[in-house]
């Protein structure tokens, strides 16, 4: 089978590629969002069932695939999606895949500036935030969390994160100072609890599982996460 560059393919046929991925997901169950990981999707659905989120916020739109899933989820309850992308090419592609959706607002630029601009509007609302803007030399994760720490009604999921109990989950590491792990974000999320997958990376089957963590920014949402059996609270 020929290897097709997903960026080039989506750039050439943006809406057709998205519709094809939706169709394949409906037909085969192979999801096109959250890195294709079904257990992570189950965690999200369990959380989304418990909490009536008013907004879904994403940093790192990329091609707009997870944005599309969040928009479809948000549409079921009249919620909105806000997503940002710093790369001009990827922003242009995402604008053609999901930019026309009525409940999606796309931003081009730095994720820290993006979150800061939303604070006055969203900091008191019920928000699900998906952090995935860490591909470039500057890692914005600590600065993102310092802003989100003040969003008390928010649950944050961080992609590409090192899972301490299972290094078979992939994570991003660029050098000794830039690694998506607990050490890197120490001191940036207050005394809030961090949750990791309560299952093995191999449970994702053939998918090359990427690590992630979930942080609740206040006690009521920690109680919600405690009830999700697929998550385990990290003990420091």
């Amino acid at each position: 089978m020929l290897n097709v560059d997903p960026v080039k393919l989506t750039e050439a046929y943006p809406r057709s590629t998205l519709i094809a991925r939706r169709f394949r997901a409906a037909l085969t169950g192979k999801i096109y969002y959250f890195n294709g990981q079904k257990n992570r999707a189950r965690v999200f659905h369990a959380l989304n069932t418990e909490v009536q989120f008013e907004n879904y916020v994403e940093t790192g739109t990329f091609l707009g695939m997870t944005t599309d899933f969040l928009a479809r989820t948000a549409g079921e309850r009249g919620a909105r999606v806000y997503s940002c992308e710093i790369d001009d090419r990827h922003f242009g592609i995402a604008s053609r895949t999901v930019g026309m959706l009525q409940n999606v607002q796309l931003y081009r630029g730095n994720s820290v500036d993006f979150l800061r601009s939303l604070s006055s509007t969203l900091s008191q609302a019920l928000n699900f935030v998906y952090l995935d803007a860490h591909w470039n030399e500057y890692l914005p994760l600590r600065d993102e969390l310092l802003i989100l720490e003040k969003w008390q009604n928010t649950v944050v999921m961080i992609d590409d994160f090192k899972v301490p109990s299972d290094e078979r989950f992939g994570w991003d590491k660029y050098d000794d100072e830039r690694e998506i792990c607990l050490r890197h974000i120490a001191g940036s999320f207050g005394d809030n609890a961090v949750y990791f997958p309560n299952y093995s990376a191999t449970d994702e089957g053939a998918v090359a599982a990427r690590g992630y963590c979930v942080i609740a920014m206040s006690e009521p949402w920690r109680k919600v996460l405690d009830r999700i059996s697929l998550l385990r609270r990290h003990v420091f």
Side-chain angles (χ1 to χ4, degrees):
M1 182 177 294
L2 295 175
N3 291 322
V4 179
D5 182 338
V7 176
K8 290 182 178 179
L9 178 64
T10 311
E11 189 171 37
Y13 309 103
R15 292 297 295 173
S16 297
T17 301
L18 175 58
I19 291 169
R21 290 193 178 190
R22 287 178 184 171
F23 180 75
R24 184 179 66 174
L27 193 65
T28 67
K30 185 175 181 179
I31 63 176
Y32 61 97
Y33 46 87
F34 291 154
N35 289 325
Q37 294 176 212
K38 291 184 178 180
N39 281 325
R40 192 191 304 197
R42 291 186 183 106
V43 168
F44 171 81
H45 284 300
L47 178 60
N48 196 59
T49 299
E50 291 262 6
V51 184
Q52 292 295 305
F53 292 115
E54 300 167 290
N55 304 287
Y56 298 81
V57 180
E58 175 190 36
T59 65
T61 315
F62 190 39
L63 307 180
M65 298 302 157
T66 296
T67 320
D68 175 71
F69 165 72
L70 293 175
R72 290 156 69 83
T73 302
E76 296 173 0
R77 58 181 55 163
R80 294 197 59 78
V81 175
Y82 301 86
S83 184
C84 76
E85 175 57 55
I86 197 169
D87 183 271
D88 288 342
R89 182 185 183 190
H90 296 159
F91 179 83
I93 296 170
S95 296
R96 297 166 64 204
T97 56
V98 296
M100 74 294 298
L101 299 178
Q102 293 298 308
N103 64 340
V104 171
Q105 191 164 343
L106 295 181
Y107 291 76
R108 179 166 56 85
N110 182 287
S111 63
V112 175
D113 293 339
F114 162 70
L115 292 175
R116 191 175 289 122
S117 73
L118 292 176
S119 284
S120 61
T121 305
L122 303 189
S123 61
Q124 301 304 310
L126 295 174
N127 310 298
F128 173 80
V129 178
Y130 186 61
L131 299 181
D132 193 19
H134 33 254
W135 281 14
N136 298 305
E137 183 175 346
Y138 163 56
L139 260 186
L141 189 53
R142 285 181 53 84
D143 293 331
E144 290 172 337
L145 288 172
L146 286 169
I147 295 169
L148 294 171
E149 184 187 358
K150 300 177 177 65
W151 295 23
Q152 293 293 297
N153 295 315
T154 293
V155 178
V156 177
M157 180 180 284
I158 306 174
D159 192 20
D160 303 311
F161 205 95
K162 183 177 182 179
V163 177
S165 61
D166 189 348
E167 293 193 359
R168 289 170 296 184
F169 282 101
W171 74 94
D172 284 359
K173 180 176 181 178
Y174 308 97
D175 53 43
D176 290 340
E177 296 300 320
R178 295 181 301 147
E179 179 180 18
I180 308 298
C181 64
L182 285 171
R183 179 177 57 85
H184 179 74
I185 66 171
S188 64
F189 56 96
D191 59 355
N192 296 302
V194 182
Y195 295 76
F196 288 100
N198 191 28
Y199 54 87
S200 168
T202 57
D203 289 346
E204 289 292 353
V207 174
R210 300 293 293 173
Y212 68 96
C213 73
V214 183
I215 305 174
M217 292 305 179
S218 61
E219 182 61 30
W221 312 128
R222 290 195 286 273
K223 293 178 179 178
V224 171
L225 295 181
D226 284 335
R227 293 196 292 269
I228 299 176
S229 62
L230 287 167
L231 291 177
R232 178 178 64 251
R233 188 191 288 221
H234 181 73
V235 178
F236 288 90

